[in-house]
Amino acid sequence: MRYFAWLLFFVSLLIFGSVYVRPGDFQYVGLIPFFIPLIWLANLFLFLILALSWKKSALIPLFALAIGYRFAEITVQWNLTDDSKQGLSVLSYNVHLFDYKRRIGGEFDPNIFSWIQEHPAQIKVFQEFYQDYTSPSRNAVNLLGKENDKEIYYEIIEGRPDRRSYGLAISSALPIVNQGKVFDNKKTNGAIFADVLYQKDTIRIYNCHLESMKINSENLDDLEGVRANYRQTLKKLHQGSLYRSQQLDVLEQHIINSPHPIILMGDLNEIPYSNSYFRLSRNLNNAFEDAGKGFGFTYNRVLFFLRIDHIFSSPNLKATQFDTHREVDYSDHYPVSATFQLID
């Protein structure tokens, strides 16, 4: 058992260390972090067995758990939050073109607009934002902008600007004094920013939708589906991690050049154990870690255990509240919201 403990320890070090290697530097390294929860639990299980047997070798998995403590911290949280604290409130939502209910066999549900309009967040960012100027009930720029007493910045990624299109949007109850595009890939993904006036300060808001995983989750709903599609799935995961790493290079440089504190939100398509997540965490705080509770899973499909929608902020913006709105099922993602206080 001692030899097995040492073997598990060294395997754990390799897997834990994979988060510090960029996908472009080592082929398929972007797939390794998916095993981090399993290897952490294996060490915990081995520690309990050896500890209950009064074996000194229990110190080996215990040491591995200590080294991997950061992974437990980003997996589950139970912060005590004070909802009475006021601050800058934000919301991020991948709205799936506002059409998720119809695409899974139902009808278009306009209540998605009602829920967004009624949510009290001062800043709201949307990925997979669909705009239809030909239909008042689908005119999202109007419904979530002027009609909702908000300023809105909508960046088209694909479509006709005068009719139907989709892209990224930022809706703000605060004045927008500057805005622009960071990048887009002319398909569905990209990143935009808007500078908003908050109290006496200017805060830069980023809305990001990094390269999608492109996994057909319905094909993985049973064992036979997993067997038939695992090679294709691994290839897509590998390619996606490469593209997201390259997109993050551009985004990081833009953040470095920002003259203002920033809040970065969106569908990053990255689990918390990824190289991209750790790169962002070097200089930014994650709102779920600071104020979240539970696991915070944000994906509303078969792979329900994924947390791929995130909110990051500059260190002088402290998250005092974080929620994953799992009661809201208008999309294949759950909305996430947070409240921040600006620290001098």
Side-chain angles (χ1 to χ4, degrees), residues 28 37 50 75 90 114 116 118 137 190-191 205 231 262 289 308 341:
Y28 290 105
L50 295 176
T75 299
V90 301
S114 299
I116 294 170
E118 293 169 4
S137 65
I205 305 296
R231 289 184 183 275
I262 72 110
E289 293 182 39
I308 54 179
Q341 288 189 324

Side-chain angles (χ1 to χ4, degrees), residues 27 41 78 97 167 222 313:
Q27 193 172 22
L41 288 173
W78 199 261
L97 307 178
D222 53 48
S313 69

Side-chain angles (χ1 to χ4, degrees), residues 202-214:
T202 301
I203 296 175
R204 177 159 291 182
I205 305 296
Y206 284 97
N207 179 14
C208 306
H209 188 196
L210 300 188
E211 185 71 23
S212 299
M213 292 184 179
K214 294 185 173 65

Side-chain angles (χ1 to χ4, degrees), residues 86 134 152 168 170 188 200 222 298:
Q86 301 297 311
T134 69
I152 191 165
L168 297 161
I170 299 174
T188 60
K200 296 181 180 180
D222 53 48
T298 65

Side-chain angles (χ1 to χ4, degrees), residues 100-131:
Y100 176 69
K101 288 292 185 70
R102 185 182 68 82
R103 289 170 182 264
I104 60 174
E107 297 180 355
F108 165 67
D109 191 344
N111 287 322
I112 184 172
F113 289 114
S114 299
W115 186 88
I116 294 170
Q117 289 171 332
E118 293 169 4
H119 192 279
Q122 296 157 286
I123 307 292
K124 301 171 185 177
V125 307
F126 308 100
Q127 305 85 47
E128 297 189 26
F129 185 94
Y130 179 76
Q131 169 60 17

Side-chain angles (χ1 to χ4, degrees), residues 85-105:
K85 287 186 177 180
Q86 301 297 311
L88 176 61
S89 54
V90 301
L91 172 80
S92 176
Y93 196 4
N94 182 325
V95 294
H96 200 280
L97 307 178
F98 302 105
D99 205 23
Y100 176 69
K101 288 292 185 70
R102 185 182 68 82
R103 289 170 182 264
I104 60 174

Side-chain angles (χ1 to χ4, degrees), residues 117 136 139 141-150:
Q117 289 171 332
N139 188 338
V141 167
N142 185 49
L143 291 169
L144 303 179
K146 184 177 180 180
E147 189 175 303
N148 201 215
D149 297 322
K150 302 288 193 301

